[in-house]
Amino acid sequence: MPITLLWAVDVYGRVYSLSTAGQRWERADDMLLELKRVTAGKGRCWGIGCDHHAYLNMMPSETPIRYREETYENQRWNPVDSFTDTLLPTDRWPWSDVTGMNPQPLHSFELPSRSWEWEGDWYVDQTCGGEPSQTGGWEYAVDFPANFSPDKKWNSCVRRRRWIRYRRYIAQGTWAKIPLDNPRKPPLPLCDISCGGWEMSDQSGRYPYLWGVTQQGQVWFREGIHPRVPEGSSWEEVDVPKEVAQLSAGPGDLLWAVLWDGNLLVRTGLSLDSPTGTSWTEVESPVKEAEVAHVAVGVSVVWVVTKDYKVWFRRGVNSHNPCGSGWISIGGEMIMVDVGLNDQVWAVGEDRGLYFRMGVTSSEPSGNGWIPVSAQWGSSKEIIPPRKRHAAGGQLKQVLSCSDSESELGPTDPPHNTSDTPVLEAAAPSVVPLGGADTPTPPHEKTEEPPSASQQDVPKAFIPASDSFINSLISDRDRAPTPQPSITEEGEDPSPVPILPTPEATGQDIPWMNVDLEGAEAARSAQAGGGLLSVDGGACATYSLGSLETSQGVGEEDGPVWTWISGGGCDVDASSQISWLSPTGPLTSSLSLTPVQSAAWSEQQRQEHRDEISKKPLERSHSVWVRKGALRWWRDWKPQRWVDVGVALEQSTKSDGRKDSIFFVYYMQYDEKKYLHVFIHEVTALVPVLRDGLYAFAVYTAQRTRQRWPLVLAAQSEKDMNDWLSLLSDCCCECRGISGPPSRHALWSTTSKGDVMVHEPSFTLEATAHTHSCDLMFWRQVPGHLRCVESNSLGLVWGIGWDGTAWAYSGHYGQQLTSDAVELHQQTDVRSVHVYENQRWNPMTGYTDKGLPTDRPMWSDESGLKECTKGSTHPPSPQWSWVSEWTVDYNVTGGTDKEGWQYAADFPVTFHGHKTIKDFVRRRRWTRKCKITLRALWKQVPPIALSDISLMPCLTQSRMDQVPVWALSDKGDVLCRLEVSSQNPAGSSWLHVGTDQPFKSISIGGASQVWAIAKDGAVFYRGSVSLQNPAGECWYHIPSPPRQTLRQLSVGRTSVFAVDENGNLWYRQGLTPSYPQGSAWELISNNVTKVSVGPLDQVWIIADGVPGFTAETPGAVCHRVGVGPMQPKGQSWDYGIGGGWEHISVRGNSVEAPRAPHPPQAAPPRGPLLAPPPAQANGNAVGV
């Protein structure tokens, strides 16, 4: 890592630098230099002097800074004098620039400032176009302007040659004053500057931009800054809507400014083509009670300090979203902050100490705590700690000590203490070494002495509170200095003075900092050696630091009182090993570091403060965590296509542990940076989707669900998609307080892709009044791949894969999925992918693949709307892999001939398996199998392949040792699973139930009601089913709805709903305990593909589509609203999440809404007070 510098300024305008390879602050060589503020960049540092001029310090380098001045000598040929500098009136100047528009004689070139010197005299460039020339540098052309060449031709009437002179920048390593703009009016007086912009492009060594603010609130931009012109050329004013007090420019394209009214301005439109931006956007202060005092900007972070010294972090800041999205409070009390390289944060505390934000990384930009910048000061090895509030508040005290050099000369006499030369007590600085070896000695008993009159009248030295007092500081320096205690020379009669107690005779606790009370207390208890000098009980003395070579001598100045810091040129990060940024030792900071509390206290003050703080819990500050990446986004508007975007998930952790997250999508539109954002607590589902064979997933919110337009993103690999899905899902569950496996009452659903989704219901989901809206339901994915899933309220969940394999869920509510005790099983699923080959009959050639212009594609999907060939058809998603080749499928509804063809009169009509004289079109289906393998909490139930499954629904208070489970095999056989329980969810064996025909749908409801549908659409009811007789006795035929064929049904506690082949939903009327078969069917609705009736008789369906959104993929979750004991059919539909949902099961949700309390009885009419009637207790009257 290269050696870089940290810059800081004290209240007297003195500039210091601290090297990353050093351990000591170094003051600028120019002792007369006094700056108000500095702003550092890579290899340079700018500053504002007390004269309000700008100064520049370029770091020394091996490569000199040289600038080439050039001008062109132009001549024209005439018949008398040949080539001469006498030109035509319409020609360019005899000496000009390369364009010929501006005159540039040799004598007009001057050095821009004293920081430059000429390297030599003017000379002629002997090359032409980079090639050596023998023509003395002359280039010839027919006329001005034209293409010049070194070859002289017969028609060459003009010529030119270039003169060159170099100047070199000689002010590297020193502070050079920037020259004023002449003849333009300079922006004086300046009160703030900030440099940035060097990372706005990928070019290495990109020059920075410089911004300035005048005391009139104007904003100026420094033009012409270049690696060969570090000073720039001129100032350009940038219009602002309000007066600006301070601004900060980041290394990229971020620029924020503080207004005099305490709000903030954000500059938008910054780019290489427009370095000054296009417009301003105002952002309010984090809190209305406190105005913003300072702002600092990094690559993608913004920090502010309000006037109550609170630190705030702006979340969601990005070049696509320069204004951010919200404020987060950060622990600490600071005067100003600065964001340096790598978005590292530096600060000046309210105690005037320097601090560094540790733990700042790209994934955690807010860091996790403050640590002091503990570098050595002066010629000693004493570490400068954060300054004491007592000293910063205005009372300056002088430390009395004896250095090693003084000890060599022998002991010194005590100083005089008279009214003319008062003794200034020294407030003991919090000097604690970062290493654990050099520690002060434990304190001894304190000797109490009454303060003398001279000590009570000690004058207070003036220490300003901010750099706005620089001028007054200058005037104070010119005054007579405050008398200092003097050392009595040998032979001089000292005046009577109070005797200073020795370390052995008195003692006192080491001045401590409120950084980590427990850690500091433990450190103090372990310290040994040294003592603390005190005068009359004041907390003012020196104490030994063990291995320190020298200490501050009498009259030597204390460490600097800092007012400004700039880390823009200091290349450090969270992993850097910097000696003066060690987070270990007694000065280790907690998350609640408050620099203003790091004062030196007297014994009584320290004890009271220690007792008060020990009763308070440790305060935790807010933090921000960020995960960034690159995905592809399906653009929401036409032309719809995939767009490469950047994404970021930003999570904020508050002091109470609550977390709030935002998901950002950054994209470009017409070369303009834009973004989308989704609040994680508003996300309702994260669903993998099938889209162009990519690893895609959809992000749903309540609003996007209503609009039927989710946010669709795609990753480059399966791992990236799974990582983002897992990360986003964890954040969603965390903000909603969901963890572990699904609960017993969860709603289960599957998508057409085979993903398993779960929703945790609330009491309001099935409430008759104020029902929870269906589009607000949060669905999370459970690992697994199934075609359908069924559950009940005892925690039993069964599923069937696309290949008919039965699976039982092995997860238990309350256990953690990451526990080692959870056993993941290998789950596989196989499904078939189909394409259709279409042909039309031709009188000449018979059936051929040449169709009419209005026909469907000759290779298509089942609907015929999309062209699908065998070569262009891929597995449903990249997680699948082919396990077979394309073959003709003969198992098609309607039958086929011996070659697999189905015939019809035209497209699209009903196809049949034999050819007639009226059949002019035909098709056949090709199939290919693909397989997916994953690990999940599903245990296989062998050995029979199933087509349907049903578990008996139970109420919350139900207790059952064995749960009835009915199923249908893939051949239509009726089966009953035995010994299924919560401890054994897979059961033990199958019991075959006899039927005279194959079935296609079965359902068991409350009180062991078993209903089933045969493959021909006939409905049956199984009688005498009980726990003692799980298979029942016989089947009762139930008439179907007139002229309709049912295909699926679901039985609840007291109601039965069924769906026919045309998508109509039917309700069975007249069900009673004495007549469980019911009396008639009633049509409820259409547009239904699947229905699920729960233990509370709640009705949910998978709708074929959502009214008004014809383009949406079929399959939407829908809830029947208004279902109750008096209205079992419900009133209306509430459409929820949709677009590719296959199945839903609400048979585990037995959570009932709490019943409203009975209204109180009406109060009796007012009148004379009567004795209350006696109350009845167990049938006997007793007095109340």
Side-chain angles (χ1 to χ4, degrees):
M1 179 179 295
I3 299 176
T4 54
L5 297 179
L6 175 68
W7 295 87
V9 181
D10 67 2
V11 294
Y12 296 107
R14 295 173 293 199
V15 183
Y16 300 87
S17 62
L18 179 60
S19 172
T20 54
Q23 299 180 356
R24 192 185 313 275
W25 285 101
E26 301 290 343
R27 187 179 173 184
D29 296 336
D30 188 357
M31 295 299 178
L32 299 179
L33 176 68
E34 294 178 348
L35 299 182
K36 298 172 61 178
R37 296 180 179 181
V38 293
T39 175
K42 289 186 176 181
R44 69 194 70 201
C45 185
W46 300 77
I48 297 180
C50 294
D51 56 357
H52 303 291
H53 284 277
Y55 289 80
L56 173 63
N57 189 334
M58 290 294 299
M59 302 298 103
S61 63
E62 298 179 356
T63 303
I65 300 176
R66 302 169 69 240
Y67 184 81
R68 183 181 65 191
E69 299 281 9
E70 61 180 28
T71 185
Y72 284 84
E73 179 184 3
N74 305 307
Q75 292 185 355
R76 176 175 286 277
W77 181 87
N78 63 64
V80 178
D81 301 322
S82 185
F83 284 98
T84 177
D85 56 0
T86 303
L87 305 177
L88 298 178
T90 57
D91 283 341
R92 57 182 60 187
W93 302 89
W95 294 86
S96 69
D97 60 0
V98 64
T99 64
M101 303 300 294
N102 302 312
Q104 290 185 169
L106 297 179
H107 61 80
S108 65
F109 289 87
E110 297 179 355
L111 294 175
S113 66
R114 296 181 179 179
S115 303
W116 296 86
E117 69 175 6
W118 295 111
E119 284 192 344
D121 204 353
W122 290 97
Y123 67 92
V124 176
D125 183 11
Q126 299 291 337
T127 63
C128 295
E131 299 294 335
S133 174
Q134 303 298 328
T135 61
W138 290 107
E139 295 178 310
Y140 298 87
V142 177
D143 201 354
F144 301 116
N147 294 326
F148 288 85
S149 66
D151 300 328
K152 181 180 179 182
K153 301 178 182 179
W154 65 272
N155 58 350
S156 299
C157 299
V158 296
R159 68 177 182 178
R160 71 176 185 182
R161 61 179 175 180
R162 183 172 63 171
W163 290 75
I164 295 177
R165 191 180 189 184
Y166 283 92
R167 53 183 169 94
R168 183 178 58 184
Y169 189 79
I170 60 175
Q172 287 182 290
T174 62
W175 287 94
K177 188 174 182 180
I178 302 302
L180 299 179
D181 295 345
N182 290 316
R184 299 178 61 181
K185 181 180 179 181
L188 293 178
L190 290 173
C191 66
D192 188 38
I193 57 174
S194 180
C195 69
W198 59 82
E199 293 184 4
M200 196 174 294
S201 70
D202 298 333
Q203 302 176 9
S204 60
R206 178 73 184 180
Y207 53 90
Y209 299 136
L210 183 67
W211 297 78
V213 177
T214 66
Q215 292 185 350
Q216 291 77 23
Q218 301 170 337
V219 175
W220 292 76
F221 176 77
R222 184 69 175 174
E223 294 181 327
I225 298 178
H226 191 270
R228 296 190 299 272
V229 187
E231 299 172 325
S233 57
S234 61
W235 291 95
E236 176 188 354
E237 185 176 0
V238 179
D239 294 333
V240 289
K242 298 181 180 180
E243 294 182 354
V244 175
Q246 182 256 334
L247 58 71
S248 176
D253 51 2
L254 295 181
L255 177 69
W256 283 55
V258 178
L259 300 174
W260 283 106
D261 60 7
N263 286 341
L264 297 135
L265 281 182
V266 183
R267 191 64 172 173
T268 59
L270 292 172
S271 64
L272 291 175
D273 299 330
S274 178
T276 58
T278 56
S279 61
W280 294 96
T281 302
E282 187 169 355
V283 176
E284 294 184 354
S285 173
V287 289
K288 296 182 180 180
E289 296 77 12
E291 300 173 350
V292 175
H294 185 86
V295 64
V297 176
V299 176
S300 58
V301 297
V302 173
W303 295 69
V304 301
V305 177
T306 51
K307 291 186 178 180
D308 56 356
Y309 306 115
K310 301 300 181 184
V311 183
W312 299 81
F313 177 85
R314 186 70 172 178
R315 63 183 307 182
V317 174
N318 188 277
S319 60
H320 294 258
N321 180 24
C323 297
S325 57
W327 294 105
I328 297 175
S329 177
I330 302 294
E333 297 180 358
M334 303 295 174
I335 295 177
M336 62 85 63
V337 294
D338 183 76
V339 180
L341 299 179
N342 307 316
D343 284 343
Q344 302 300 308
V345 183
W346 311 83
V348 178
E350 193 185 6
D351 61 346
R352 296 295 178 170
L354 300 182
Y355 294 89
F356 173 73
R357 187 72 177 175
M358 63 179 181
V360 175
T361 61
S362 58
S363 61
E364 192 174 356
S366 64
N368 50 35
W370 297 100
I371 58 174
V373 178
S374 303
Q376 299 174 6
W377 160 248
S379 59
S380 69
K381 294 185 178 180
E382 182 177 346
I383 297 175
I384 301 180
R387 298 191 61 86
K388 302 170 291 298
R389 183 179 184 180
H390 187 60
Q395 185 169 356
L396 181 65
K397 299 185 179 182
Q398 183 66 33
V399 177
L400 303 179
S401 63
C402 179
S403 63
D404 292 343
S405 59
E406 293 171 344
S407 62
E408 295 176 0
L409 298 177
T412 59
D413 294 334
H416 292 280
N417 186 13
T418 63
S419 58
D420 296 334
T421 59
V423 175
L424 299 182
E425 294 181 357
S430 303
V431 181
V432 182
L434 292 178
D438 301 332
T439 55
T441 58
H444 303 278
E445 295 183 357
K446 184 175 73 173
T447 303
E448 297 184 358
E449 295 184 4
S452 61
S454 61
Q455 293 172 347
Q456 295 177 358
D457 298 334
V458 173
K460 297 181 180 181
F462 173 72
I463 295 183
S466 67
D467 63 340
S468 61
F469 293 91
I470 295 292
N471 295 333
S472 60
L473 293 173
I474 298 174
S475 60
D476 289 344
R477 288 188 180 183
D478 296 334
R479 302 173 187 172
T482 304
Q484 304 291 333
S486 59
I487 304 293
T488 305
E489 298 180 2
E490 187 176 356
E492 182 177 354
D493 186 15
S495 300
V497 295
I499 300 176
L500 295 176
T502 62
E504 292 76 8
T506 184
Q508 197 164 356
D509 285 346
I510 298 173
W512 52 279
M513 297 176 57
N514 185 19
V515 176
D516 188 342
L517 298 180
E518 297 179 0
E521 187 68 25
R524 285 195 298 273
S525 63
Q527 290 170 349
L532 189 66
L533 297 178
S534 176
V535 180
D536 295 332
C540 317
T542 59
Y543 50 91
S544 172
L545 291 181
S547 63
L548 294 184
E549 296 178 0
T550 59
S551 302
Q552 292 178 340
V554 176
E556 188 175 341
E557 192 173 335
D558 198 359
V561 181
W562 303 110
T563 186
W564 201 265
I565 188 172
S566 179
C570 188
D571 190 4
V572 300
D573 53 34
S575 60
S576 299
Q577 301 295 328
I578 307 297
S579 59
W580 38 268
L581 286 181
S582 174
T584 60
L587 290 181
T588 300
S589 169
S590 67
L591 294 178
S592 59
L593 174 66
T594 308
V596 71
Q597 294 177 344
S598 62
W601 303 80
S602 64
E603 179 66 23
Q604 180 179 1
Q605 289 172 326
R606 286 198 304 270
Q607 186 63 38
E608 293 177 356
H609 190 75
R610 191 180 299 116
D611 295 340
E612 178 183 357
I613 296 298
S614 63
K615 301 176 182 179
K616 299 180 180 180
L618 179 63
E619 177 188 358
R620 299 186 62 187
S621 77
H622 295 190
S623 62
V624 177
W625 176 88
V626 177
R627 164 72 185 274
K628 299 180 180 180
L631 298 174
R632 302 185 71 187
W633 166 53
W634 183 252
R635 195 168 60 183
D636 290 355
W637 57 85
K638 294 181 179 180
Q640 297 175 0
R641 60 183 179 89
W642 289 104
V643 178
D644 293 331
V645 296
V647 295
L649 176 63
E650 182 179 285
Q651 185 180 78
S652 168
T653 304
K654 299 183 179 180
S655 56
D656 57 359
R658 293 184 293 112
K659 296 183 178 180
D660 181 22
S661 304
I662 306 177
F663 184 65
F664 294 92
V665 178
Y666 304 106
Y667 65 97
M668 298 289 295
Q669 181 183 4
Y670 305 117
D671 297 331
E672 183 180 356
K673 296 179 179 179
K674 294 189 176 183
Y675 74 99
L676 301 172
H677 71 279
V678 176
F679 293 99
I680 292 298
H681 69 270
E682 296 180 355
V683 173
T684 57
L686 298 163
V687 186
V689 295
L690 306 176
R691 190 67 64 91
D692 298 336
L694 300 175
Y695 298 96
F697 61 94
V699 181
Y700 285 87
T701 63
Q703 181 180 3
R704 289 182 174 272
T705 298
R706 290 188 292 267
Q707 297 174 349
R708 306 292 153 182
W709 201 264
L711 180 66
V712 181
L713 301 168
Q716 296 295 329
S717 64
E718 180 182 2
K719 181 179 182 301
D720 290 343
M721 184 190 72
N722 292 334
D723 289 346
W724 277 107
L725 278 177
S726 177
L727 182 62
L728 293 173
S729 180
D730 290 345
C731 291
C732 292
C733 294
E734 190 173 15
C735 72
R736 296 173 182 268
I738 300 175
S739 62
S743 66
R744 299 189 304 270
H745 304 288
L747 276 67
W748 292 75
S749 182
T750 59
T751 66
S752 58
K753 183 176 175 292
D755 298 300
V756 183
M757 310 298 294
V758 179
H759 169 71
E760 298 294 339
S762 62
F763 290 106
T764 60
L765 185 61
E766 301 297 342
T768 55
H770 308 290
T771 304
H772 187 76
S773 179
C774 197
D775 53 27
L776 296 176
M777 298 171 60
F778 172 68
W779 295 90
R780 58 170 173 150
Q781 185 177 1
V782 174
H785 192 277
L786 299 170
R787 178 179 58 85
C788 66
V789 63
E790 288 291 334
S791 64
N792 76 346
S793 59
L794 297 181
L796 298 175
V797 183
W798 279 53
I800 302 176
W802 289 86
D803 57 356
T805 304
W807 302 87
Y809 188 66
S810 60
H812 300 287
Y813 177 70
Q815 73 182 14
Q816 296 296 326
L817 295 179
T818 57
S819 174
D820 296 336
V822 177
E823 181 181 359
L824 296 178
H825 308 280
Q826 181 175 347
Q827 184 181 16
T828 61
D829 200 1
V830 178
R831 66 184 303 179
S832 298
V833 177
H834 307 294
V835 296
Y836 286 82
E837 181 183 4
N838 306 305
Q839 291 185 356
R840 176 173 287 276
W841 184 80
N842 187 299
M844 302 297 295
T845 59
Y847 286 100
T848 178
D849 57 1
K850 305 296 182 181
L852 299 177
T854 57
D855 280 345
R856 60 180 61 186
M858 292 298 100
W859 289 88
S860 69
D861 58 358
E862 185 177 8
S863 65
L865 301 177
K866 181 181 179 182
E867 182 177 8
C868 299
T869 64
K870 290 191 292 184
S872 63
T873 302
H874 303 282
S877 68
Q879 293 95 329
W880 294 79
S881 59
W882 295 117
V883 292
S884 70
E885 297 297 330
W886 290 103
T887 58
V888 176
D889 189 3
Y890 297 94
N891 187 20
V892 182
T893 303
T896 66
D897 62 8
K898 60 181 181 180
E899 294 181 354
W901 292 103
Q902 290 183 301
Y903 299 87
D906 202 353
F907 301 116
V909 292
T910 302
F911 286 85
H912 47 266
H914 58 279
K915 184 182 181 305
T916 65
I917 194 172
K918 297 181 180 180
D919 294 331
F920 295 97
V921 296
R922 67 176 183 178
R923 71 174 186 181
R924 63 178 171 182
R925 187 169 73 176
W926 292 78
T927 183
R928 190 178 186 184
K929 292 183 178 181
C930 54
K931 183 179 180 180
I932 187 173
T933 302
L934 66 159
R935 299 189 64 83
L937 293 173
W938 295 94
K939 185 177 181 181
Q940 185 176 355
V941 182
I944 303 175
L946 304 181
S947 61
D948 198 10
I949 189 77
S950 180
L951 285 71
M952 190 176 81
C954 307
L955 296 178
T956 304
Q957 63 273 16
S958 299
R959 296 293 183 269
M960 302 180 63
D961 295 334
Q962 294 186 11
V963 179
V965 176
W966 287 67
L968 298 178
S969 70
D970 58 349
K971 298 179 180 180
D973 298 328
V974 179
L975 305 172
C976 180
R977 191 69 173 178
L978 301 179
E979 299 182 2
V980 176
S981 63
S982 300
Q983 292 74 25
N984 184 24
S988 59
S989 60
W990 289 106
L991 176 62
H992 183 269
V993 180
T995 60
D996 57 356
Q997 58 180 316
F999 284 15
K1000 62 181 178 182
S1001 178
I1002 194 167
S1003 178
I1004 179 172
S1008 300
Q1009 306 173 71
V1010 178
W1011 290 63
I1013 301 177
K1015 288 193 175 182
D1016 61 358
V1019 184
F1020 291 90
Y1021 171 78
R1022 187 70 174 177
S1024 304
V1025 178
S1026 63
L1027 296 178
Q1028 294 75 22
N1029 185 18
E1033 295 293 342
C1034 61
W1035 292 102
Y1036 296 91
H1037 181 265
I1038 307 296
S1040 300
R1043 298 183 301 276
Q1044 299 294 333
T1045 302
L1046 299 182
R1047 66 179 180 186
Q1048 187 256 335
L1049 56 74
S1050 182
V1051 184
R1053 182 169 56 179
T1054 60
S1055 61
V1056 177
F1057 285 80
V1059 180
D1060 64 22
E1061 296 288 350
N1062 296 321
N1064 298 317
L1065 180 65
W1066 297 86
Y1067 168 72
R1068 187 65 177 175
Q1069 296 179 338
L1071 268 69
T1072 63
S1074 59
Y1075 192 66
Q1077 297 90 345
S1079 58
W1081 292 100
E1082 180 181 355
L1083 180 63
I1084 301 299
S1085 175
N1086 58 4
N1087 189 36
V1088 179
T1089 59
K1090 295 285 182 66
V1091 63
S1092 178
V1093 182
L1096 305 178
D1097 285 335
Q1098 66 268 39
V1099 180
W1100 291 71
I1101 65 169
I1102 297 295
D1104 188 48
V1106 180
F1109 297 92
T1110 57
E1112 186 182 29
T1113 305
V1117 176
C1118 195
H1119 180 208
R1120 188 68 174 174
V1121 180
V1123 175
M1126 304 303 295
Q1127 187 72 22
K1129 298 176 292 185
Q1131 298 174 352
S1132 61
W1133 294 109
D1134 180 19
Y1135 288 88
I1137 191 170
W1141 291 67
E1142 181 74 18
H1143 182 87
I1144 188 170
S1145 175
V1146 297
R1147 300 170 65 80
N1149 181 22
S1150 59
V1151 179
E1152 297 185 78
R1155 298 180 180 179
H1158 294 287
Q1161 297 180 356
R1166 295 184 179 182
L1169 295 177
L1170 300 177
Q1176 299 289 332
N1178 297 330
N1180 298 323
V1182 294
V1184 179

